[in-house]
Amino acid sequence: MITKIYKILYAGLMSCGVAAALTACTETWDDHYESLGDSSGMHEGSLWQAIKSNPNLSNFASVIEGCDFAKTLDGSQVFTVFAPTNDSFSQSEAQALIAEYKQQEAANVVEEDNTVLKEFIHNHVALYNYSVSTNSEDSITLLNGKYAVLKSDNIDGVQLLTKNQLYGNGVLYTINKPVNYLPSVFEYIRSDADLDSLRSFLYNSKFYYREFQPELSVPGSIVNGKTQYLDSVFVQRNELFNILGRIGTEDSSYIMVAPTNAVWRDLIEEYEPYFNYPTNVDKRDSLVYTNSRLAIVNGTTFSRTFNTDESLKDSAMSENSMKAYNYRKIQWGAPFEYYQYRSPLTQPYGALAQSEVASCSNGEVRKATQWNIDKQMTFFRYIIVEAESRNSIKEVSKLVDTRGDSIATISPTTRYVTNDNATYYDKVWSNSFVEFVPNNAVVNHSVTFNLPNVLSNIGYDIYLVTAPALANDSNATDIQRLPTLMRCTISQPGQQPDQIKGENGKVKEFQTTPDAIDYFLVAENYKFAVCTYGIDDENLQTTLKVETRVGSTQVRNNILTRTMRIDCILLVPHGSLQLVDALPSDSSVPSRMWGTPGLLMYPHGQFTDRPFKWWYMQR
């Protein structure tokens, strides 16, 4: 019976893969090998018998036998074996490999993770028959999944001493030294002691585990309603590959920036406070552990499919970037260039400007002794709460009527800015806002917005953006165009509500400007005590309450109105932006450059020649 790992590798094996097929192929093989002068036809016995009987392969044979692989090469499955001779592979080297194999076996290391099998034995064996001829050059797959180039006189540069020796279950070559094992990006991280901290995360059993494959397993009898398997097949899974890309596979090519242990420790010390979840959040400790570490590794892997040598001269797009620009607004609220890094190789602090580079079988690892990936380009992002978006409004103010019913004092209505409104079109976020019209004329009103995915203990500049009546209705009356006066309160899970005050300690009030889009700085460098990143429970959200502060006399005398028109709420990473009132001399920069350091832009990421307020990137 073949082992679990081989059952996966050999599923669907056809053509010369069984004894009967080998018999039918013998005449063809004989003709082929005789034409090369490398064979006298089919040799007697199996590959294992040939290896064991060759005195110059005794050290290789001892490893095959000592690591319980002899029965595989003595069976009916068809292989090609590249065996190093004793001249380049010593007895002491063989014994060291056997001892390491036994040690891992005693430690219950699963077969597919045993490094001696994977990096030595499987690195010298391929499934199926492979022959060479004059000027031949083929790419073959070894049992460990590595690709090797087999030429007429060498395999991956290792000289073939004897060739095309055909036996009952395959072909034998002898070689002048062992074939070098080149780890994948994922494997390299495990093998480098400088990357132990990263390895502990990527190889954590929470993400990296074996999964049973019933369709590939051999079913037996049914006991108590459950199938008993005569041979169970498992495959290795890593959920982090869904985020980082297939850094463990051989048919892809990646660059990965890997923090060394010292850098990792510094980043964890900095990042963990950003993920201080409320104490009543389910699996809180797991969220803190996982998200603070994902904050490090997200944006560190780069597929070479999208990052060619030519494209890397301009920018590097990591696996977490949104490569389609038209989808970025859906993902992030504006066409930001998150997880994409400009001049990654040429700038002194470029994302890929690491000095130590390790070549791997599917790319390279760049060991980072300093961290050049800015958190404002990865996880510390803008939070844009569009007033009209689903789930943005948590509640509006209510009063209890004489019958005991709870009645809303104000009603939200979405308003749109049409493209024939030249003054305001493309100046309002998403060209829409919410108008909150009073249902009760004699009281002040409030609306509470959810602020999702906030991080803790890191500064945000919080802006309240309002729109004028004329943005929706160019015929709005003077009364409809009146300003309003508001104040704001922030509430967090498990914390006392925080009514926003000014530097003088008094409650901060915001009065809108007639006919203008206003950006009110509600709070500067505001640090939330708890994190809500990734939390869906609406009862555990951070909120911003906006309420009118208009007196009845002001309403009667048409000085102020209690109608609010709210466009959005912006939570901007502190220090990343500032408001200016001047246009740049050149307004032709395309909107796709939103988020790039040093560019002027409208808040929605588009450019125009009309005077208005701009955002300026300071990073």
Side-chain angles (χ1 to χ4, degrees):
M1 182 177 295
I2 59 177
T3 62
K4 306 180 188 101
I5 191 169
Y6 294 127
K7 189 177 296 180
I8 297 172
L9 288 171
Y10 304 155
L13 182 62
M14 301 292 289
S15 178
C16 296
V18 294
L22 277 171
T23 302
C25 293
T26 299
E27 184 175 347
T28 302
W29 279 108
D30 288 349
D31 293 343
H32 175 62
Y33 290 133
E34 286 172 5
S35 70
L36 299 175
D38 289 324
S39 174
S40 58
M42 175 77 76
H43 295 279
E44 294 292 332
S46 67
L47 286 167
W48 168 239
Q49 291 168 340
I51 293 168
K52 188 176 182 179
S53 63
N54 187 334
N56 203 26
L57 298 179
S58 61
N59 296 332
F60 182 72
S62 66
V63 175
I64 296 298
E65 188 168 34
C67 298
D68 304 319
F69 200 74
K71 60 183 179 181
T72 302
L73 296 182
D74 203 30
S76 61
Q77 296 293 336
V78 177
F79 301 98
T80 298
V81 178
F82 302 90
T85 64
N86 292 350
D87 296 331
S88 61
F89 182 59
S90 67
Q91 183 179 15
S92 61
E93 290 173 313
Q95 291 304 312
L97 287 173
I98 295 170
E100 177 63 25
Y101 171 83
K102 297 295 185 184
Q103 181 178 350
Q104 293 186 39
E105 185 181 43
N108 296 317
V109 174
V110 295
E111 184 177 281
E112 53 264 41
D113 281 343
N114 190 294
T115 58
V116 177
L117 283 175
K118 189 173 186 177
E119 299 179 11
F120 183 77
I121 294 178
H122 293 175
N123 206 48
H124 290 83
V125 181
L127 186 61
Y128 310 124
N129 287 317
Y130 289 101
S131 63
V132 296
S133 60
T134 305
N135 299 322
S136 68
E137 182 173 338
D138 295 310
S139 177
I140 67 173
T141 305
L142 302 173
L143 280 189
N144 53 20
K146 302 292 179 183
Y147 296 109
V149 178
L150 179 60
K151 298 183 179 180
S152 60
D153 60 352
N154 72 84
I155 176 173
D156 274 0
V158 177
Q159 183 182 352
L160 304 177
L161 300 176
T162 62
K163 318 172 191 176
N164 299 335
Q165 300 294 309
L166 180 64
Y167 292 88
N169 63 340
V171 182
L172 178 63
Y173 294 81
T174 60
I175 53 180
N176 73 333
K177 63 179 180 179
V179 177
N180 181 49
Y181 179 84
L182 195 61
S184 67
V185 168
F186 184 57
E187 293 167 335
Y188 179 84
I189 291 168
R190 180 172 61 181
S191 65
D192 191 327
D194 291 338
L195 306 177
D196 280 349
S197 299
L198 176 60
R199 174 200 59 77
S200 295
F201 180 62
L202 297 186
Y203 280 84
N204 189 310
S205 59
K206 177 179 179 180
F207 315 109
Y208 186 56
Y209 55 87
R210 299 171 77 221
E211 185 174 78
F212 176 56
Q213 302 290 297
E215 68 278 7
L216 296 177
S217 302
V218 180
S221 60
I222 297 177
V223 178
N224 295 328
K226 293 185 178 180
T227 301
Q228 306 298 305
Y229 289 90
L230 302 177
D231 196 7
S232 299
V233 176
F234 295 81
V235 294
Q236 200 72 32
R237 301 287 191 201
N238 195 317
E239 293 180 3
L240 294 178
F241 290 170
N242 297 327
I243 301 171
L244 299 176
R246 303 192 306 159
I247 59 174
T249 60
E250 301 297 327
D251 58 355
S252 302
S253 182
Y254 289 91
I255 299 171
M256 183 170 188
V257 178
T260 56
N261 294 329
V263 172
W264 181 274
R265 286 192 295 269
D266 289 344
L267 290 173
I268 291 297
E269 183 178 356
E270 177 187 355
Y271 288 3
E272 277 196 341
Y274 302 156
F275 297 92
N276 178 38
Y277 285 90
T279 55
N280 58 339
V281 169
D282 187 37
K283 299 181 180 178
R284 178 192 180 278
D285 292 345
S286 178
L287 287 173
V288 174
Y289 171 87
T290 301
N291 286 330
S292 59
R293 286 153 181 80
L294 284 176
I296 298 174
V297 301
N298 282 351
T300 61
T301 52
F302 306 83
S303 169
R304 294 293 266 152
T305 301
F306 298 101
N307 295 277
T308 63
D309 290 344
E310 185 62 28
S311 66
L312 286 177
K313 295 176 182 177
D314 174 60
S315 67
M317 299 183 72
S318 75
E319 284 297 280
N320 300 100
S321 67
M322 185 63 65
K323 296 174 178 62
Y325 284 90
N326 54 321
Y327 289 119
R328 293 186 175 191
K329 187 176 188 302
I330 298 173
Q331 180 77 9
W332 294 315
F336 293 112
E337 291 184 346
Y338 291 128
Y339 300 109
Q340 179 176 350
Y341 316 105
R342 294 285 167 182
S343 304
L345 296 169
T346 57
Q347 294 296 323
Y349 295 100
L352 298 181
Q354 288 77 32
S355 58
E356 186 173 346
V357 180
S359 295
C360 301
S361 62
N362 63 344
E364 62 186 31
V365 171
R366 292 176 174 257
K367 294 172 61 175
T369 55
Q370 66 177 23
W371 200 240
N372 296 341
I373 295 178
D374 184 356
K375 57 179 172 286
Q376 289 189 16
M377 295 300 290
T378 56
F379 69 93
F380 186 30
R381 302 194 289 264
Y382 289 64
I383 299 173
I384 303 171
V385 181
E386 294 274 15
E388 71 276 6
S389 295
R390 182 183 179 185
N391 298 326
S392 290
I393 300 173
K394 180 176 183 178
E395 61 187 6
V396 296
S397 54
K398 296 179 181 180
L399 287 176
V400 178
D401 64 12
T402 56
R403 294 178 299 181
D405 295 329
S406 184
I407 305 297
T409 69
I410 197 167
S411 296
T413 302
T414 301
R415 304 298 187 190
Y416 298 93
V417 186
T418 56
N419 58 9
D420 59 351
N421 190 337
T423 305
Y424 298 100
Y425 187 73
D426 272 353
K427 310 300 190 303
V428 173
W429 289 75
S430 300
N431 286 309
S432 58
F433 60 92
V434 177
E435 185 176 65
F436 295 91
V437 181
N439 299 325
N440 187 313
V442 298
V443 297
N444 278 298
H445 317 280
S446 69
V447 54
T448 301
F449 294 95
N450 290 312
L451 304 181
N453 295 314
V454 300
L455 300 175
S456 52
N457 301 301
I458 191 169
Y460 290 97
D461 296 336
I462 304 174
Y463 290 89
L464 174 66
V465 185
T466 62
L470 288 177
N472 167 251
D473 183 4
S474 58
N475 297 315
T477 65
D478 290 342
I479 292 177
Q480 289 173 321
R481 293 161 58 189
L482 288 173
T484 191
L485 189 66
M486 303 168 294
R487 65 182 182 185
C488 297
T489 302
I490 293 174
S491 295
Q492 304 175 65
Q495 308 293 314
Q496 290 295 319
D498 182 12
Q499 191 172 64
I500 300 301
K501 297 181 175 62
E503 294 180 358
N504 57 8
K506 294 182 179 180
V507 174
K508 203 171 183 180
E509 294 185 336
F510 311 95
Q511 182 169 321
T512 59
T513 306
D515 305 338
I517 298 173
D518 284 307
Y519 284 76
F520 295 111
L521 181 57
V522 175
E524 184 177 10
N525 198 20
Y526 192 92
K527 296 179 180 179
F528 296 98
V530 292
C531 163
T532 61
Y533 182 85
I535 294 179
D536 295 327
D537 189 341
E538 65 176 24
N539 295 317
L540 292 174
Q541 294 298 321
T542 292
T543 62
L544 176 71
K545 183 169 75 172
V546 183
E547 54 187 325
T548 58
R549 296 297 295 168
V550 178
S552 297
T553 301
Q554 293 169 313
V555 173
R556 286 194 301 269
N557 294 334
N558 293 328
I559 299 172
L560 294 175
T561 179
R562 289 191 176 116
T563 296
M564 294 184 286
R565 296 178 183 88
I566 297 178
D567 181 4
C568 63
I569 299 162
L570 305 177
L571 280 75
V572 178
H574 179 66
S576 65
L577 297 182
Q578 67 180 20
L579 284 172
V580 298
D581 292 313
L583 280 170
S585 58
D586 179 8
S587 59
S588 62
V589 184
S591 61
R592 68 174 293 271
M593 301 297 287
W594 168 273
T596 303
L599 291 183
L600 293 166
M601 64 199 65
Y602 271 125
H604 57 282
Q606 297 185 7
F607 292 76
T608 179
D609 57 0
R610 298 188 186 92
F612 210 72
K613 287 193 173 181
W614 292 70
W615 291 101
Y616 178 70
M617 300 295 296
Q618 292 192 121
R619 276 201 303 276

